[in-house]
Amino acid sequence: MLPDCPNRAFADTVTVRRLLTHTAGAGDVDELLGAPHAAERARLRTPADVIALHGNRPPEFAPGTQQKYGNYRYVVPGRMVEVLSGQDFESCIRTHVLAPAAMARTGFVDCDDPAPDLAAGHAEVEGKRVRNCATLPMRGFAAGGQVAPAADLLRFVQALVAGRLLPLPLFRQATTPQRAFMALGFFATGYGEGVPERDFRRGHGGSADGICTDVRTDPHTGKTVIVLSNRDAPACYAAANLLHAQWKQAR
């Protein structure tokens, strides 16, 4: 499925399920983060570019033997999407996700876009506070970095629940815990032995320098908590946890 992946042993043996549950040993994308890697970021524009950079390295561990969160595991499916759809990743997401979910204000923009409604994140580089464009990819890609308001993220959740983006049986499978904290591409929290079923939440969070996002839904009540921050983690997670704790006390 990935004819341009240099490591054929990885490409031919690692499954999509293992990528989605972070058990593929795929690793991270360290060369896309941090001020010292500005030159690498400047020349890495597509999922194929990132795979060309990382494709020859061996897995961190034998696929299926461990679980470790890593952003490279998002890049590989991103490239799969391009190969299977015949579209570049951005176009495919706009056509098959953003448009059906009516997410009109969500998309891929350059980090230094001057639009007045974009919140600016910051990072510390050599003791100075600068825009986080100095440490992050210049544009959103398959592992994150898109921009969206909370209302659009709620539309995304509603579109998933209504079956407009995935068939409902597949969505239920994707949100069922598979191993530890991961379902198939979704985080699953508030579950396990001794935890009441009503505490189960599904969603995903994400963070980087000057960015923190958390989206979580309670499938029993249909309530969704969305917290967006232009502060480092755990700013958004702390707020989401507080809201969830208050909700449990009010029940």
Side-chain angles (χ1 to χ4, degrees):
M1 192 178 295
L2 285 180
D4 52 0
C5 181
N7 188 332
R8 296 314 311 164
F10 178 82
D12 295 340
T13 59
V14 170
T15 65
V16 173
R17 181 178 291 271
R18 284 178 174 167
L19 288 167
L20 294 179
T21 55
H22 293 278
T23 58
D28 220 315
V29 287
D30 295 335
E31 285 80 359
L32 297 183
L33 304 172
H37 296 293
E40 287 93 336
R41 288 197 299 275
R43 63 183 178 84
L44 299 175
R45 295 291 183 178
T46 68
D49 292 338
V50 182
I51 288 174
L53 174 69
H54 288 309
N56 275 317
R57 68 183 183 185
E60 286 192 59
F61 49 83
T65 63
Q66 300 180 42
Q67 184 179 49
K68 183 179 179 181
Y69 189 92
N71 284 300
Y72 186 59
R73 77 89 168 166
Y74 293 102
V75 176
V76 175
R79 179 58 181 152
M80 290 180 179
V81 166
E82 293 186 327
V83 171
L84 293 171
S85 69
Q87 294 179 284
D88 65 88
F89 184 75
E90 288 191 22
S91 297
C92 190
I93 294 300
R94 283 194 293 267
T95 301
H96 299 289
V97 178
L98 304 186
M103 299 170 68
R105 298 185 63 212
T106 298
F108 299 79
V109 301
D110 290 343
C111 181
D112 57 1
D113 190 303
D117 60 346
L118 288 178
H122 292 81
E124 185 171 304
V125 177
E126 298 180 350
K128 297 181 179 180
R129 188 169 182 266
V130 299
R131 282 290 304 274
N132 56 359
C133 303
T135 66
L136 301 179
M138 183 54 65
R139 191 173 179 87
F141 67 120
Q146 296 77 29
V147 299
D152 269 14
L153 292 175
L154 180 59
R155 292 186 183 98
F156 176 65
V157 171
Q158 293 170 334
L160 282 169
V161 172
R164 299 203 305 273
L165 301 181
L166 289 174
L168 288 177
L170 182 57
F171 176 61
R172 285 192 290 271
Q173 182 182 3
T175 54
T176 299
Q178 303 289 313
R179 180 166 176 170
F181 60 89
M182 285 305 301
L184 297 178
F186 292 83
F187 279 108
T189 59
Y191 72 97
E193 185 177 352
V195 179
E197 185 179 355
R198 65 178 182 272
D199 287 350
F200 174 72
R201 291 158 287 158
R202 62 194 181 206
H204 210 297
S207 62
D209 290 339
I211 300 171
C212 191
T213 301
D214 197 14
V215 180
R216 58 179 76 177
T217 295
D218 184 330
H220 298 288
T221 66
K223 292 185 177 180
T224 296
V225 171
I226 299 170
V227 183
L228 308 179
S229 174
N230 59 345
R231 301 280 299 274
D232 291 356
C236 65
Y237 307 134
N241 288 334
L242 175 62
L243 290 170
H244 184 74
Q246 291 176 338
W247 172 75
K248 287 199 296 183
Q249 292 173 0
R251 283 184 300 184

